[in-house]
Amino acid sequence: MINVNEYFEGAVKSLAYTTPQGRSTIGVIEPGEYEFGTSSHETMTVIEGSLEALLPGQDKWQTFTGGQTFEIEANTSFKVKTEVQSSYLCTYR
């Protein structure tokens, strides 16, 4: 089953699905800045565009572009921002 998720008044949309390895989402982020909370470990891979991320415990934003990945531990929050429409794959393991 594919579930549709929408956040921040439609500025972030994703499709959620489950594989034998676990849950995943693939989505698109409109230009802006957003804060997300986690309930499980996440690995986020930028597919297209560019995301800047402020990861838990960090004080500097890091830039990630197509093919680059970052990880977020469970039960934390992180911020992302982008100046261009960007797509991502997020796996929850």
Side-chain angles (χ1 to χ4, degrees):
M1 172 85 44
I2 298 172
N3 294 314
V4 178
N5 301 308
E6 188 171 312
Y7 309 96
F8 306 103
E9 299 178 358
V12 179
K13 294 184 181 183
S14 67
L15 299 175
Y17 59 99
T18 302
T19 68
Q21 292 78 32
R23 281 185 324 114
S24 298
T25 58
I26 189 164
V28 177
I29 299 178
E30 290 286 351
E33 184 175 323
Y34 311 96
E35 184 168 3
F36 295 93
T38 65
S39 59
S40 60
H41 180 271
E42 297 183 24
T43 301
M44 193 167 198
T45 302
V46 176
I47 298 170
E48 255 185 328
S50 175
L51 291 178
E52 289 183 65
L54 184 59
L55 301 176
Q58 302 292 314
D59 57 0
K60 290 187 179 180
W61 290 84
Q62 298 175 56
T63 302
F64 298 89
T65 59
Q68 293 184 313
T69 299
F70 58 92
E71 295 188 37
I72 307 98
E73 294 303 319
N75 305 310
T76 60
S77 63
F78 66 102
K79 293 181 181 180
V80 295
K81 63 183 176 181
T82 183
E83 294 182 6
V84 298
Q85 197 175 59
S86 299
S87 59
Y88 65 89
L89 169 67
C90 195
T91 56
Y92 306 89
R93 312 280 192 268

